[in-house]
């Protein structure tokens, strides 16, 4: 599968680079292993340098709520956007989803601020609880002030303009031309990697669903959650917008999967053995074709950080 110049440019015409950075206070610290007594049956103490132990500084429902919220927004973005190969935390966001993601992230940031305030308010109590929980491993120096804790939490997100700085052309046209050419090469590689990422996501979904629809070794149907079908349907429904690399081969397999699954739901699959087997067989065939497409995908590692 070779990508045309039009396809390469379409990736960046059909999407916007979106960056999100989420920070929080760290709640784990390394423990001096010499302070921990670990003896075997013969009373021999292992070499402290061979032991790695850490301690959890905080156990607090308010902090766990922040972590849960962070996980949910990352999962949501990963289902909609495509990971950009430029840098961690940067995504290629299909144009159809820009407004949706913007609204979700703004609502997330507002809710997160509320949860952070609740955690900071409980922080002192959580520290005192850790003093009892950790015993001799408690160290006051591990716990910064409330103000420092509050500043440790941040959400920064913005839309990025990818390209060669136009001002460079005014300074030196030759440098500008050279950098434009280098940037085009990176776009080519990025477009291919975006295509491969979407193929990989679909391959994982297909393989997982096909495996769950197989009977177990005892001949009984395997247990699966409703999310098995919901996740697949979510991918199929969003594929047209997410297919920013115009991958016609993947599009054909997605159509086959959509035709195979139809409007079936998880309960229908659990109740009907023949239906499970029929859909499972069709998905396995798609899995085989996908497997070769994913295996053939070259590994590309590059950076736009420069």
């Amino acid at each position: 599968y070779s990508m045309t110049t039009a396809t390469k440019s379409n990736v960046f015409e059909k999407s916007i680079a979106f960056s999100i950075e989420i920070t929080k206070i760290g709640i784990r610290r390394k423990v001096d292993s010499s302070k921990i007594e670990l003896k075997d049956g013969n009373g021999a103490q292992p070499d402290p340098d061979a032991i790695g132990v850490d301690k959890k500084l905080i156990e607090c429902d308010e902090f766990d709520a922040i972590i849960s919220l962070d996980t949910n927004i990352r999962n949501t973005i990963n289902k909609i956007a495509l990971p950009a190969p430029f840098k961690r935390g940067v995504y290629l966001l299909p144009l159809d989803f820009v407004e949706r993601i913007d609204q979700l992230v703004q609502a997330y940031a507002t809710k997160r601020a509320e949860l952070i305030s609740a955690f900071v308010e409980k922080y002192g109590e959580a520290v005192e609880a850790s003093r009892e929980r950790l015993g001799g491993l408690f160290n006051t120096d591990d716990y910064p002030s409330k103000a420092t804790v509050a500043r440790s939490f941040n959400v920064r997100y913005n839309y990025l303009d990818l390209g060669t700085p136009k001002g460079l052309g005014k300074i030196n046209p030759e440098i500008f031309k050279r950098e434009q050419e280098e940037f085009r090469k990176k776009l080519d590689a990025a477009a291919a990697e975006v295509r491969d990422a979407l193929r990989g996501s679909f391959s994982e979904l297909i393989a997982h669903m096909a495996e769950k629809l197989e009977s177990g070794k005892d001949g009984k149907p395997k247990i699966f959650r409703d999310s098995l079908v919901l996740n697949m349907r979510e991918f199929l429904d969003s594929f047209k917008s997410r297919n920013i690399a115009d991958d016609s081969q993947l599009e054909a397999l997605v159509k086959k999967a959509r035709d195979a699954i139809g409007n079936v739901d998880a309960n229908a699959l659990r109740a009907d053995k023949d239906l499970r087997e029929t859909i499972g067989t069709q998905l396995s065939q798609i899995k085989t074709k996908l497997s070769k497409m994913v295996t053939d995908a070259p590994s590309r590692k590059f950076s736009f950080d420069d």
Side-chain angles (χ1 to χ4, degrees):
Y1 176 80
S2 60
M3 304 190 72
T4 65
T5 302
T7 297
K8 295 166 185 174
S9 62
N10 281 347
V11 167
F12 296 92
E13 292 173 359
K14 293 183 176 182
S15 65
I16 290 177
F18 172 76
S19 170
I20 183 165
E21 180 185 5
I22 301 169
T23 63
K24 63 182 182 299
I25 187 173
I27 63 166
R28 292 194 177 272
R29 294 289 185 277
K30 190 172 179 63
V31 176
D32 184 352
S33 55
S34 65
K35 295 181 179 180
I36 301 176
E37 187 173 343
L38 295 172
K39 295 182 178 180
D40 60 20
N42 298 321
Q45 178 78 7
D47 182 353
D49 292 336
I51 305 296
V53 180
D54 63 3
K55 57 184 175 181
K56 188 176 182 181
L57 302 180
I58 292 288
E59 284 194 355
C60 176
D61 290 342
E62 286 76 10
F63 183 82
D64 291 343
I66 297 171
I67 299 302
S68 178
L69 189 72
D70 292 348
T71 300
N72 287 339
I73 193 64
R74 286 194 180 97
N75 288 342
T76 299
I77 292 173
N78 283 328
K79 285 182 179 180
I80 295 175
L82 294 155
F86 327 135
K87 191 175 183 181
R88 180 178 174 82
V90 178
Y91 300 85
L92 289 179
L93 183 57
L95 298 181
D96 290 347
F97 295 119
V98 170
E99 291 184 355
R100 177 182 172 187
I101 283 292
D102 195 77
Q103 292 171 358
L104 286 174
V105 172
Q106 287 192 54
Y108 155 73
T110 300
K111 179 63 176 178
R112 194 176 195 253
E114 296 172 359
L115 295 181
I116 291 167
S117 296
F119 169 63
V120 171
E121 186 176 338
K122 290 282 187 179
Y123 178 66
E125 295 179 22
V127 171
E128 289 306 309
S130 294
R131 186 188 299 274
E132 294 184 17
R133 182 172 55 86
L134 293 174
L137 295 179
F138 180 85
N139 184 349
T140 305
D141 293 339
D142 289 332
Y143 298 87
S145 66
K146 281 188 176 183
T148 300
V149 168
R151 288 195 298 269
S152 299
F153 291 91
N154 276 298
V155 177
R156 303 182 186 90
Y157 58 96
N158 60 289
Y159 300 94
L160 308 176
D161 181 18
L162 301 176
T164 306
K166 292 180 174 59
L168 192 59
K170 298 178 181 179
I171 299 172
N172 188 315
E174 287 301 315
I175 296 177
F176 180 68
K177 182 179 179 180
R178 184 192 69 204
E179 290 304 305
Q180 274 192 316
E181 182 58 32
E182 286 299 312
F183 185 71
R184 270 193 289 271
K185 291 178 182 178
K186 290 182 177 181
L187 290 186
D188 294 349
E193 187 154 327
V194 165
R195 177 206 65 194
D196 296 342
L198 197 57
R199 287 182 174 187
S201 296
F202 188 48
S203 179
E204 290 177 6
L205 282 171
I206 287 289
H208 180 59
M209 190 167 184
E211 188 271 330
K212 285 296 184 181
L213 295 184
E214 294 175 353
S215 297
K217 294 181 179 179
D218 56 3
K220 296 181 180 179
K222 294 180 180 178
I223 297 174
F224 57 84
R225 299 177 181 176
D226 291 357
S227 58
L228 180 75
V229 178
L230 294 176
N231 288 340
M232 177 62 75
R233 198 173 301 287
E234 187 173 40
F235 182 96
L236 298 178
D237 291 344
S238 65
F239 174 75
K240 183 177 180 180
S241 295
R242 297 181 74 205
N243 185 27
I244 58 178
D246 291 331
D247 188 347
S248 58
Q249 286 185 304
L250 185 58
E251 182 179 10
L253 293 181
V254 167
K255 184 180 184 303
K256 287 181 179 293
R258 188 181 288 113
D259 291 342
I261 295 172
N263 295 319
V264 71
D265 59 24
N267 288 330
L269 287 174
R270 294 188 185 101
D272 192 328
K273 179 182 178 182
D274 291 338
L275 181 63
R276 280 197 312 277
E277 291 181 350
T278 299
I279 294 179
T281 298
Q282 291 175 303
L283 295 185
S284 293
Q285 293 171 352
I286 296 172
K287 171 188 168 184
T288 300
K289 294 180 180 179
L290 264 173
S291 179
K292 187 174 189 312
M293 288 167 59
V294 172
T295 302
D296 288 347
S299 176
R300 297 178 175 85
K301 297 298 177 185
F302 53 91
S303 173
F304 278 13
D305 290 353
D306 294 342

